[in-house]
Amino acid sequence: MAASISGYTFSSVCYHSANSNSDHEGFLLGEVRQEETLSISDSQISSSEFLHIVEVHNHEPCAQLFSFYDYAGKVNEENLNRILKDRRKNVIGWYRFRRNTQQQMSFREQVIHKQLTNILGIPDLVFLLFSFISTANSSTHALEYVLFRPNRRYNQRISLSIPNLGNTSQQEYKVSSVPNTSKNYASVIKEHGAEFFDKDGVIKDIRAIFQVYSALQDKVQAVCAEVDQSERVKEKIQEEVKKLKEEISLRKRITAAEERRHQESLNTENHSLQDDSALSDSSSPPSLTRVLLQSPPLEVSLDWPPNSTALPLYPAAPAPPPAPPSAILLPRPQAVGSPGHPSPGLGLGNGDGSSSDSLNRQAIGQEDQLEEEEEEEDEDEDSSEYENLVSERLQSPSLTDTAVSLGRPAALWPDGDTHSSGGSS
Amino acid sequence: MNSLSPEVALSRISPELRPLLCSVVRNGRVGLDSTNCLRITDLKTGCTSLTPGPCCDRFKLHIPYAGETLKWDIIFNARDPELPPDFIFGEDAEFLPEPSELPHLVAWDAGDPDCLLQLVKELLQQYHQYQCQRLRDSSRLLFEYDSLLEDPNYGRSMEIYAGRKNSWTGEFSARFLLKLPVDFSNIPIYLLKDTALDPGEDVALLSVSFEDAEATQVFPKLFLSPSIEHALGGPSALHIPAFPSGGCLIDYVPQVCQLLTNKVQYVIQGYHKRREYIAAFLSHFGMGVVEYDAVGFTKLTLLLMWKDFCFLVHVSSCAGCCFCAVMITKTHRHALN
């Protein structure tokens, strides 16, 4: 069993008692409630504990001693009803104040308590004893209080707690469950409460704050959804990039294999056509200018919310621009038979003016443009070297022929690096 | 414990309550041990500290009972002196007397100086009943009590104090204090101490302490009032026998009582014998009596002569016995002339 008393009730009782010049007594008003605590632990499924809590809300002081009992301690029920009036049902105990005495129930108090228990019909009637002890020189005064449960064995003592009476710096301020029974307080609150309380009795500001909190929560939830979606899109795009890279490396391997085969076949032809250096008839300049190769369209499905103000993680990818005529990559078109026109044996053409290499290079060059812009310089250098090589060929055909005879000019590999076999790098 | 003299205690009590306490401290003899008076200590007040004194209205009352001293708190209210007091029975928290059986409480009269003293005596009677009820925890001790109760010589003058039962060992102790029905009235007056110093009743109390419920450790002790103790020859003159193993009080107490009675009779008879002895000497040698103890009849001096030989005869005996010692002193005839 536990008991609590509000600070103002306790101080009121103390005030009445301390100001009396003799012993003082009265009744305690309040209620008794029962709390059930369910605890679940590893050792047992559940255990419930019942706790009776006595709450003291108010007190009714008696005007004088022996006001409801006689010299023998016999309680007079009429006098008792006159003192308690309509608050008899709220009685949960009674109290006594006496100075400089032991914290022990006296003979008469025990006699009265037994009778009150029977008359009021309260089996667990409590008794609160106040003692005021002073030192001989009146320098120190101590107010002691003990709550008894006399109907139990050995006059069981119960701990009486006073909310917020203690070191509140280390404890949080508690809202007492003891209601305020003051009529004046109730009337003031009723009169002015509408300015601060809504119809449910909740302070309006609190409700407004809760609304702000709810709105913030909704926004956070929405942003979470957006983040989730964008993360998924990003994941999808990363998957696509990965696939494209794999495709590119596959094509490179295919291209490299074809080139090797082509080179081998050309070498074989060179040997057989070594005296005949006539160029293959080609009326049309080698159409190396297949400028535009349709790159596989980017399958990007960006479902942006119409009203979203968030910045998209991936800016709207513009339509892949047509591959600029990468003059830096393409050999300068020249007429067939022109001194600068590279021979098919150089592996620069298929004889019909097309160059699978150039096509591949074109495609590769596009990829490089998308992926690695920092190699444009190298490409420029390479292309310039390529042009230079061509121009050198034009300028010094003998040298060119010699270079041709020696090996192929520099070719731009898909990775952007320039590999030259014998030529300038 | 601040033990105060009666006068000091009375001076600090609230004037309205002083007559009640005056009766207690001056005439307060309760129980079997009437040699000890009631004492008052720990005077306190129920008024505020700003109240001018004397205003003490609550105190602790020390009551001798069954060899123990009960310390009861008595609580008055100086602002309401006509109201009866309240009591706190110290360590006997379970003692709850029946108010209807306390006439001086039901009809409390603050104007009667003896009201408080009478109320205390009534409470003591109920306390005695309460202690006797507690003997029911031990059948052996209850038997002792019931057997003594049946004997009218001891049943009415008995105080019992039942100790606390040891919850660990289960041991239970008790003390019986009995007033022995011995007649001391015939003890010669001269053997008693100055009655002005010891105005109390001459009493012999036998205290028997049972340290365990099975009566295997029993310690008897005899208490005599100072005058009786002096009349019998001092503390070492009388030794009571030890409590017999397996014995019971109903056999032992009469044995002690008889022993004491025999001792008293011996003292009385010795006095009478000595007086008769001295009387016989006086009747034979009345002219030769120099001096004699006319109170205790313990000494007699005779002057005798035989053939011009004069001598003094000193006859003496100790109080309480008839043994006489004679001493003869030779004197010179001329000295007698």
Side-chain angles (χ1 to χ4, degrees):
Chain A
M1 193 178 193
S4 71
I5 182 171
S6 61
Y8 42 83
T9 304
F10 181 81
S11 61
S12 176
V13 173
C14 293
Y15 176 80
H16 275 103
S17 303
N19 280 287
S20 70
N21 213 4
S22 63
D23 295 349
H24 175 71
E25 60 195 8
F27 292 92
L28 298 173
L29 309 176
E31 64 177 9
V32 179
R33 57 187 173 87
Q34 192 172 2
E35 277 187 0
E36 182 182 2
T37 305
L38 285 170
S39 58
I40 301 173
S41 65
D42 294 338
S43 60
Q44 50 189 355
I45 300 299
S46 66
S47 66
S48 63
E49 186 181 325
F50 289 93
L51 182 67
H52 290 270
I53 298 180
V54 175
E55 291 187 347
V56 182
H57 298 171
N58 209 338
H59 73 107
E60 181 64 45
C62 294
Q64 57 190 5
L65 297 172
F66 290 85
S67 57
F68 61 95
Y69 52 90
D70 60 10
Y71 288 173
K74 190 172 186 305
V75 175
N76 187 319
E77 197 164 348
E78 287 182 14
N79 294 343
L80 185 68
N81 290 332
R82 190 169 58 245
I83 294 170
L84 294 175
K85 299 186 182 78
D86 57 343
R87 289 188 287 182
R88 175 170 166 160
K89 58 182 182 306
N90 297 330
V91 173
I92 57 164
W94 65 300
Y95 69 90
R96 192 87 190 274
F97 168 82
R98 36 185 168 86
R99 289 187 177 85
N100 297 314
T101 55
Q102 293 186 50
Q103 285 186 313
Q104 192 175 341
M105 287 188 76
S106 69
F107 157 56
R108 187 173 294 121
E109 287 160 4
Q110 293 185 59
V111 171
I112 292 170
H113 189 88
K114 278 188 178 177
Q115 297 177 70
L116 284 176
T117 300
N118 295 329
I119 293 172
L120 296 173
I122 303 170
D124 258 337
L125 192 73
V126 297
F127 174 70
L128 180 58
L129 174 64
F130 286 93
S131 299
F132 211 91
I133 299 174
S134 305
T135 53
N137 56 359
S138 300
S139 61
T140 306
H141 307 274
L143 176 70
E144 298 176 348
Y145 54 94
V146 180
L147 187 66
F148 290 95
R149 203 178 179 190
N151 298 329
R152 296 286 169 157
R153 207 173 176 187
Y154 305 126
N155 282 353
Q156 181 188 13
R157 300 187 179 197
I158 311 168
S159 63
L160 179 67
S161 65
I162 305 172
N164 301 315
L165 183 68
N167 188 2
T168 53
S169 63
Q170 294 181 0
Q171 305 170 8
E172 60 179 16
Y173 195 82
K174 295 177 186 172
V175 176
S176 173
S177 60
V178 178
N180 191 334
T181 57
S182 167
K183 291 180 183 175
N184 290 329
Y185 173 82
S187 65
V188 168
I189 292 297
K190 190 178 178 184
E191 182 182 345
H192 298 281
E195 301 174 15
F196 304 96
F197 297 94
D198 59 13
K199 57 180 175 54
D200 297 328
V202 181
I203 297 180
K204 290 179 180 175
D205 292 337
I206 294 178
R207 202 176 282 279
I209 290 172
F210 266 110
Q211 286 175 355
V212 170
Y213 167 75
S214 300
L216 286 171
Q217 281 288 327
D218 293 339
K219 293 296 182 188
V220 167
Q221 292 295 332
V223 168
C224 287
E226 290 173 9
V227 168
D228 176 63
Q229 211 165 22
S230 65
E231 285 291 318
R232 290 181 194 282
V233 167
K234 175 188 162 190
E235 188 180 343
K236 199 183 258 184
I237 292 175
Q238 281 178 340
E239 285 292 327
E240 289 175 2
V241 167
K242 184 179 171 185
K243 282 181 190 172
L244 289 172
K245 280 187 180 177
E246 287 173 0
E247 216 172 290
I248 288 168
S249 61
L250 179 65
R251 285 190 184 180
K252 282 181 184 174
R253 286 198 295 274
I254 295 172
T255 305
E258 285 181 358
E259 280 190 358
R260 278 199 298 276
R261 283 197 298 273
H262 190 65
Q263 185 63 33
E264 286 169 4
S265 64
L266 283 179
N267 287 341
T268 308
E269 286 181 7
N270 271 345
H271 285 303
S272 59
L273 295 176
Q274 193 170 6
D275 296 330
D276 184 7
S277 61
L279 295 174
S280 56
D281 185 19
S282 173
S283 57
S284 61
S287 59
L288 302 176
T289 60
R290 188 163 305 182
V291 176
L292 178 64
L293 276 178
Q294 294 290 335
S295 62
L298 289 174
E299 296 175 357
V300 176
S301 59
L302 297 176
D303 297 326
W304 298 107
N307 296 327
S308 169
T309 59
L311 292 176
L313 294 177
Y314 269 83
S326 177
I328 58 176
L329 300 176
L330 291 175
R332 199 173 299 144
Q334 293 179 355
V336 175
S338 64
H341 187 77
S343 61
L346 300 181
L348 294 176
N350 293 331
D352 55 356
S354 66
S355 170
S356 63
D357 290 343
S358 66
L359 284 175
N360 288 338
R361 268 185 246 116
Q362 181 66 28
I364 293 167
Q366 266 191 318
E367 291 292 337
D368 291 336
Q369 191 177 6
L370 282 175
E371 292 180 3
E372 298 169 345
E373 295 183 352
E374 66 270 12
E375 294 178 353
E376 282 185 358
E377 245 180 327
D378 293 335
E379 293 175 26
D380 286 337
E381 289 178 4
D382 294 337
S383 62
S384 62
E385 288 177 1
Y386 181 74
E387 286 185 352
N388 290 336
L389 284 173
V390 172
S391 62
E392 284 176 2
R393 220 174 286 123
L394 291 173
Q395 291 171 7
S396 54
S398 61
L399 288 176
T400 305
D401 289 341
T402 306
V404 166
S405 64
L406 291 180
R408 292 191 303 173
L412 190 65
W413 292 93
D415 57 358
D417 293 333
T418 311
H419 298 272
S420 66
S421 54
S424 63
S425 59
Chain B
M1 186 185 309
N2 49 341
S3 177
L4 302 172
S5 69
E7 301 308 321
V8 173
L10 287 174
S11 66
R12 293 176 54 181
I13 288 289
S14 171
E16 291 83 1
L17 303 173
R18 202 167 288 163
L20 293 167
L21 265 75
C22 189
S23 173
V24 169
V25 298
R26 290 185 177 156
N27 305 324
R29 294 182 189 276
V30 297
L32 299 178
D33 189 6
S34 59
T35 57
N36 287 325
C37 294
L38 299 174
R39 285 192 301 121
I40 289 178
T41 61
D42 298 319
L43 285 158
K44 299 283 174 60
T45 179
C47 305
T48 62
S49 56
L50 299 176
T51 306
C55 57
C56 289
D57 54 6
R58 48 207 60 189
F59 49 89
K60 202 179 287 287
L61 185 65
H62 296 252
I63 306 168
Y65 174 81
E68 298 285 333
T69 301
L70 307 178
K71 301 181 187 67
W72 291 355
D73 289 306
I74 299 180
I75 303 168
F76 281 96
N77 275 279
R79 289 298 171 185
D80 300 300
E82 71 282 1
L83 298 176
D86 201 356
F87 296 85
I88 296 177
F89 302 113
E91 296 178 355
D92 297 302
E94 298 178 6
F95 171 52
L96 193 62
E98 177 55 46
S100 59
E101 296 178 9
L102 301 170
H104 282 83
L105 177 64
V106 176
W108 173 260
D109 181 10
D112 180 7
D114 286 331
C115 200
L116 178 61
L117 182 61
Q118 296 303 323
L119 177 56
V120 170
K121 289 180 179 178
E122 290 164 4
L123 285 169
L124 268 178
Q125 288 177 0
Q126 292 208 33
Y127 184 77
H128 172 73
Q129 295 299 325
Y130 162 74
Q131 291 290 349
C132 294
Q133 288 291 326
R134 295 186 63 228
L135 282 179
R136 296 182 189 282
D137 290 343
S138 167
S139 57
R140 174 73 167 86
L141 296 177
L142 185 62
F143 161 75
E144 298 282 2
Y145 169 72
D146 289 336
S147 57
L148 284 173
L149 195 64
E150 291 173 357
D151 192 329
N153 291 326
Y154 312 109
R156 298 175 185 174
S157 303
M158 181 168 52
E159 287 178 355
I160 295 167
Y161 183 81
R164 296 284 180 270
K165 187 169 185 179
N166 191 319
S167 58
W168 290 99
T169 64
E171 290 300 324
F172 184 80
S173 63
R175 182 181 298 126
F176 289 76
L177 186 68
L178 299 107
K179 183 177 177 181
L180 299 179
V182 178
D183 184 12
F184 299 107
S185 60
N186 293 325
I187 293 180
I189 301 296
Y190 87 97
L191 287 174
L192 302 173
K193 290 180 71 175
D194 189 354
T195 54
L197 296 177
D198 187 23
E201 179 189 359
D202 293 326
V203 65
L205 301 174
L206 178 64
S207 167
V208 182
S209 300
F210 291 84
E211 297 299 324
D212 63 329
E214 299 307 318
T216 57
Q217 299 180 42
V218 184
F219 302 98
K221 200 167 185 183
L222 182 65
F223 294 95
L224 301 172
S225 55
S227 59
I228 300 299
E229 191 174 81
H230 178 262
L232 297 182
S236 58
L238 185 65
H239 296 282
I240 59 175
F243 193 85
S245 175
C248 55
L249 282 175
I250 195 59
D251 297 327
Y252 179 76
V253 174
Q255 185 181 356
V256 174
C257 191
Q258 188 61 47
L259 180 68
L260 183 61
T261 302
N262 293 340
K263 183 70 177 179
V264 170
Q265 288 300 319
Y266 182 78
V267 168
I268 295 172
Q269 288 176 5
Y271 169 80
H272 289 297
K273 286 292 182 183
R274 287 196 307 277
R275 191 173 67 173
E276 291 174 7
Y277 199 71
I278 295 297
F281 270 103
L282 291 177
S283 67
H284 273 88
F285 305 101
M287 298 302 292
V289 174
V290 175
E291 61 180 5
Y292 73 97
D293 179 6
V295 176
F297 306 103
T298 57
K299 289 182 180 177
L300 172 67
T301 301
L302 298 170
L303 178 61
L304 301 173
M305 185 173 71
W306 188 72
K307 294 182 178 180
D308 293 336
F309 179 70
C310 299
F311 55 95
L312 292 168
V313 177
H314 306 278
V315 180
S316 65
S317 67
C318 57
C321 65
C322 300
F323 179 76
C324 296
V326 177
M327 185 170 68
I328 298 174
T329 307
K330 180 182 178 183
T331 61
H332 198 270
R333 184 177 179 182
H334 296 289
L336 292 174
N337 292 332

